Amino acid sequence: MTRKKVKVAFIENESVRKSTFKKRKRGIFKKAHELATLCDVPICVLIKSEYDSIPEVWPSREEANKVLSQWEMMPEMSKTKKMVNQETFLLQRISKATESLKKLWRENRELEMKELMFSCFSGKTLLSDINKNDLPDLGCFIDQYLKDLNRRIEILRTNDVSGAGAATTSNAMPMLMVDLHSSSAEFYNKIRIQIENNLNKIHEEMG
Amino acid sequence: MVKKSKGRQKVEMVKMKNESNLQVTFSKRRSGLFKKASELCTLCGAQIAIIVFSPGRKVFSFGHPNVESIIDRFLNNNPPPPPHHQNNMQLSEARRNSTVRDLNIHLTQVLDELESEKKKHEDLRKIRENTKALGHWWEDPIEGLGLPKLEGFKGKLENFKQTVSLQASKLLEETVPNFYVGGSSNAAAFGNDEASQRRMVDLNAFNYNQNPIFPNHALPFGNNGHGNIPQGFAPGYNMNYRPEYNPNQNQNQHQVFKREDISEYEHHHGHPPHSRSGYY
């Protein structure tokens, strides 16, 4: 079966509509079953169509009645909190998608400015050819980068000063701010002495 | 090509073991189920209600036209409303349907935009991978650079920032000619006088997009932001200013790295090869 994109509009053709209804109804019951099984949750589905005088129930009348009585017991606010219809459901989806889009757009913009910055550095792009609308964002990105650079420089300088050894690349210690004062050398010394003393005691006791 | 995830995998039809996976699955599948239900209603004119309890015992429900009426009719075996009520219902139903149609259009637009941004993300990622091969050490992550390199880079970046700032000021003057008052000397025109220097300092002073916001063309139902979308791409040139613009400036000031850093191609032909990508 080929996957054709179906336009989400009322199907005028009666026979197509009827067969679509049957197929999709089956699909919905299947998906409901999967959801119930995988997540071990109570669920019921009620479908009323032009093809049936009484609504169809899934999984069964008994099961549905159980779910519905649980439903009836819920306080009104809990019921309505997560209640949606087509309109509100679409609004939710739109808002979620818009959030993702904003986030991704921001990320892409940063990546773009990064490329632009590096491109200027390597001489690939002439400053005067940069679109003037991009300059502010480029400036913003440069500032951010400088902030990160300075932070990293601070970390390495602090490590250096405390005599922890030559500042190394972060393969060994990524972004770890190691605060080793000279007093810590004393501290380790004390421990070493304590251990030695303990060992000596043990040796004595053992004769 | 490195695959990011394992792709579609067959799932066993038993309760999921991992607690957080179960939560995520519930969330996604519930949403998918509601979506299918919504489609069925629009496509076939059906009425539907779904009630599902979450693992956390919250209750989610979807209903078309609305949950309560369908459940009520089902539980109380009520017949559908008599014909003389139909007209009012049909009117409000028609209005609802047209709203839903519009919302669907809006949603489709946003989803399409999301798709193209995802593709753009992929393209940018590939560009980064390709340029890695050029071996520009300053492009490597900051964490991997040693102190001397970092400090050198910092200095050059600060210079670059000044250059960008100058350029931005220059362009601002061009678009808003009344901006600088007085100073008819050549020095003022090229930003070498004191007044210009004072103006040119900080990009924060104008139109500074601290939080580059959502582009307005992507919101069909209203503009609530302004953003910057790159228009086309810049051809490849080197970064030197033309001499007449800044007669007093040292050439090297506008080159972030020395001539030796420029590629062989540029060195021999005087300009870098044209950029093939759609971005800078």
Side-chain angles (χ1 to χ4, degrees):
Chain A
M1 206 175 337
T2 49
R3 286 227 170 273
K4 268 175 270 178
K5 186 136 192 190
V6 181
K7 191 165 179 217
V8 187
F10 184 69
I11 301 174
E12 300 288 346
N13 185 317
E14 288 201 12
S15 60
V16 174
R17 189 170 70 238
K18 186 167 187 182
S19 72
T20 302
F21 174 77
K22 284 196 175 145
K23 272 186 230 161
R24 282 179 172 259
K25 186 190 68 176
R26 229 191 358 252
I28 286 178
F29 290 161
K30 181 170 181 224
K31 289 278 183 190
H33 172 73
E34 289 177 356
L35 176 58
T37 313
L38 287 170
C39 303
D40 191 25
V41 288
I43 184 174
C44 78
V45 182
L46 301 168
I47 300 185
K48 172 76 183 75
S49 69
E50 59 182 292
Y51 310 109
D52 257 323
S53 50
I54 46 165
E56 194 169 344
V57 181
W58 187 92
S60 62
R61 244 196 189 259
E62 297 82 28
E63 286 301 317
N65 277 330
K66 280 192 210 159
V67 177
L68 287 173
S69 50
Q70 262 186 289
W71 162 262
E72 291 300 322
M73 283 197 295
M74 300 284 287
E76 192 62 29
M77 237 185 74
S78 308
K79 282 187 204 171
T80 52
K81 195 163 186 205
K82 302 286 182 180
M83 191 188 286
V84 291
N85 57 25
Q86 277 190 317
E87 203 177 308
T88 49
F89 187 50
L90 276 167
L91 285 167
Q92 275 182 7
R93 288 173 67 200
I94 288 172
S95 119
K96 267 193 216 150
T98 308
E99 274 314 301
S100 305
L101 181 57
K102 277 192 203 174
K103 200 168 146 202
L104 191 57
W105 187 85
R106 240 181 274 253
E107 209 180 301
N108 283 350
R109 191 65 183 151
E110 273 200 26
L111 290 177
E112 240 179 317
M113 289 301 106
K114 188 174 179 181
E115 294 304 324
L116 179 54
M117 185 175 95
F118 289 154
S119 185
C120 290
F121 267 44
S122 57
K124 244 178 111 185
T125 304
L126 180 63
L127 191 70
S128 58
D129 282 314
I130 301 177
N131 189 319
K132 74 170 190 283
N133 291 326
D134 289 339
L135 287 173
D137 285 342
L138 179 60
C140 184
F141 182 78
I142 294 173
D143 274 348
Q144 221 171 292
Y145 215 83
L146 276 170
K147 239 191 240 173
D148 294 338
L149 272 178
N150 283 325
R151 206 184 304 138
R152 183 66 186 158
I153 289 173
E154 262 313 298
I155 292 173
L156 292 181
R157 280 205 191 128
T158 317
N159 282 358
D160 234 359
V161 164
S162 66
T168 54
T169 61
S170 74
N171 289 331
M173 276 193 301
M175 293 310 275
L176 187 68
M177 188 110 182
V178 182
D179 198 2
L180 287 176
H181 299 298
S182 55
S183 60
S184 65
E186 277 177 39
F187 175 67
Y188 287 124
N189 228 18
K190 277 189 200 159
I191 292 187
R192 186 176 56 80
I193 291 172
Q194 263 191 345
I195 294 175
E196 276 182 16
N197 287 342
N198 287 341
L199 280 176
N200 288 336
K201 272 198 202 138
I202 293 172
H203 283 152
E204 278 175 24
E205 279 164 35
M206 290 184 56
Chain B
M1 186 175 97
V2 180
K3 271 195 145 184
K4 273 189 248 172
S5 65
K6 284 159 108 179
R8 281 223 143 138
Q9 300 221 293
K10 195 155 171 137
V11 174
E12 223 191 312
M13 271 305 134
V14 289
K15 179 177 179 182
M16 297 183 81
K17 290 182 218 119
N18 185 314
E19 182 69 46
S20 68
N21 286 354
L22 194 150
Q23 257 305 131
V24 173
T25 301
F26 175 81
S27 187
K28 287 184 172 176
R29 279 179 176 260
R30 179 201 56 79
S31 183
L33 181 62
F34 283 11
K35 182 175 171 212
K36 290 280 183 190
S38 178
E39 287 174 354
L40 183 66
C41 297
T42 308
L43 289 168
C44 306
Q47 297 188 341
I48 196 169
I50 301 180
I51 308 224
V52 57
F53 287 81
S54 73
R57 294 301 129 184
K58 286 206 182 84
V59 66
F60 290 77
S61 54
F62 173 90
H64 176 80
N66 66 75
V67 175
E68 320 261 62
S69 66
I70 299 187
I71 293 183
D72 189 56
R73 262 197 282 149
F74 173 76
L75 285 178
N76 304 327
N77 266 323
N78 285 346
H84 63 267
H85 279 162
Q86 296 281 31
N87 282 338
N88 282 344
M89 279 176 53
Q90 277 171 354
L91 203 61
S92 51
E93 169 114 11
R95 207 183 316 127
R96 264 197 308 265
N97 285 342
S98 101
T99 312
V100 168
R101 262 199 303 275
D102 289 340
L103 288 173
N104 254 316
I105 292 172
H106 187 179
L107 178 63
T108 312
Q109 280 177 318
V110 177
L111 289 175
D112 286 343
E113 183 96 14
L114 194 55
E115 267 313 297
S116 68
E117 282 300 314
K118 280 187 190 159
K119 183 172 182 300
K120 187 169 172 185
H121 190 84
E122 249 318 286
D123 291 343
L124 285 168
R125 195 188 58 85
K126 282 197 196 124
I127 289 177
R128 183 88 306 265
E129 262 186 40
N130 292 338
T131 48
K132 261 193 183 147
L134 294 171
H136 297 154
W137 60 262
W138 59 89
E139 296 182 5
D140 289 340
I142 294 181
E143 290 77 42
L145 299 174
L147 196 55
K149 277 198 169 134
L150 282 176
E151 288 176 336
F153 185 25
K154 170 184 164 170
K156 295 199 162 121
L157 193 54
E158 281 167 346
N159 283 343
F160 182 52
K161 180 183 170 179
Q162 283 297 91
T163 317
V164 171
S165 201
L166 274 156
Q167 176 70 355
S169 304
K170 189 178 94 175
L171 290 182
L172 186 71
E173 282 174 8
E174 284 172 11
T175 53
V176 187
N178 298 322
F179 183 62
Y180 73 99
V181 174
S184 55
S185 65
N186 274 343
F190 300 123
N192 283 335
D193 67 328
E194 224 188 74
S196 296
Q197 299 290 0
R198 263 184 270 122
R199 277 193 307 268
M200 283 172 192
V201 175
D202 197 349
L203 269 183
N204 276 313
F206 74 98
N207 196 21
Y208 193 13
N209 229 350
Q210 288 252 297
N211 297 304
I213 324 172
F214 202 48
N216 58 15
H217 79 282
L219 294 172
F221 284 77
N223 299 334
N224 61 7
H226 53 279
N228 299 311
I229 306 143
Q231 314 281 339
F233 58 95
Y237 292 98
N238 65 35
M239 232 186 85
N240 290 326
Y241 270 54
R242 285 193 292 277
E244 68 253 27
Y245 266 82
N246 284 294
N248 302 327
Q249 302 272 28
N250 192 341
Q251 278 281 18
N252 285 331
Q253 189 169 347
H254 303 291
Q255 266 177 290
V256 179
F257 289 86
K258 302 208 196 70
R259 277 224 83 100
E260 296 92 82
D261 289 317
I262 297 177
S263 71
E264 280 285 294
Y265 185 96
E266 278 181 88
H267 190 72
H268 293 297
H269 297 267
H271 61 88
H274 277 291
S275 144
R276 277 180 296 272
S277 69
Y279 309 101
Y280 290 104

